[in-house]
């Protein structure tokens, strides 16, 4: 199980680079709940795919997985996503916490990052 | 609030190096719950201090904070603790997820790491 979860996390971060949004959404169980960023209104169903569709308009996306911890059906990992948007380079670095079901699908995701700390620099 | 929480996290990691256990336990609210590692039986009250008392018998403790994300009363951070025990160097690298109360005390902590992945090497 741990190995399958680890591979899903690697795939998740890879898909943040490549998209498309439906492939990211497909990693979730149908009844999954997403809180991104932590403390925001929880998203379910189509609202989860919308979160990733926002990525698809960004250019030069490059996501990197720094570290991941997996225990049972629980996981936490740190990644950084760099994209280009409106002539600026945007850097988002978050710690995501996930829980998985017995089939290895994500049932919950909470993303720890502060929108106030998004970095923008002119390209 | 974010700054106070960030300082508490830095203090928490520093106290993993220096101890003692009661100072670590004092960072928690009286009704706090700790799950360390994630998936294990939740600890409350005196059982929280016992967790840190286990550290006090380890030698040459050195904890390092790699990264931390804070949003509102939520935080997640990655740290590594290296200690010496029974002639071996033990390395524990975990992602801790915490929630804080309005006074900046920890009300919940869940530690993401797998005991099977503890590293031991002869000194």
């Amino acid at each position: 199980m741990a190995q399958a979860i680890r591979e899903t996390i690697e795939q998740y971060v890879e898909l943040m680079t490549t998209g498309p949004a439906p492939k990211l959404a497909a990693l979730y169980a149908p009844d999954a709940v997403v809180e991104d960023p932590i403390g925001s209104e929880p998203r379910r169903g189509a609202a989860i795919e919308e979160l990733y569709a926002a990525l698809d308009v960004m250019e030069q996306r490059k996501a990197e997985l720094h570290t991941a911890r997996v225990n049972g059906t629980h996981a936490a990992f740190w990644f950084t996503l760099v994209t280009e948007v409106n002539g600026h380079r945007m850097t988002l670095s978050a710690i995501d916490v996930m829980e998985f079901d017995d089939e290895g699908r994500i049932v919950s995701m909470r993303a720890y990052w502060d929108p106030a700390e998004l970095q923008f620099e002119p390209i």
Side-chain angles (χ1 to χ4, degrees), chain A:
Chain A
M1 190 62 173
Q3 186 54 30
I5 287 177
R6 202 166 279 278
E7 283 166 15
T8 300
I9 292 168
E10 284 165 8
Q11 197 184 351
Y12 177 87
V13 175
E14 203 174 295
L15 286 169
M16 273 196 276
T17 296
T18 62
K23 277 201 178 177
L24 273 157
L27 298 177
Y28 285 88
D31 56 348
V33 183
V34 169
E35 204 177 317
D36 187 353
I38 182 83
S40 63
E41 193 63 30
R43 292 166 176 265
R44 292 178 168 81
I48 295 177
E49 188 172 319
E50 281 166 23
L51 181 70
Y52 299 108
L55 286 180
D56 284 344
V57 298
M58 295 175 181
E59 291 167 2
Q60 305 290 341
R61 286 152 60 182
K62 183 81 189 78
E64 187 188 353
L65 179 62
H66 304 299
T67 198
R69 294 294 170 279
V70 180
N71 187 335
T73 55
H74 297 277
F77 58 95
W78 173 36
F79 72 93
T80 299
L81 171 66
V82 181
T83 69
E84 291 182 10
V85 57
N86 293 335
H88 286 68
R89 183 170 295 110
M90 187 189 81
T91 303
L92 185 167
S93 190
I95 293 175
D96 278 8
V97 173
M98 290 181 172
E99 194 164 353
F100 294 80
D101 66 13
D102 292 341
E103 297 173 47
R105 298 176 302 186
I106 309 164
V107 289
S108 86
M109 189 276 267
R110 305 180 91 189
Y112 287 74
W113 61 286
D114 182 349
E117 288 177 348
L118 271 185
Q119 291 171 42
F120 289 93
E121 35 179 7
I123 295 168

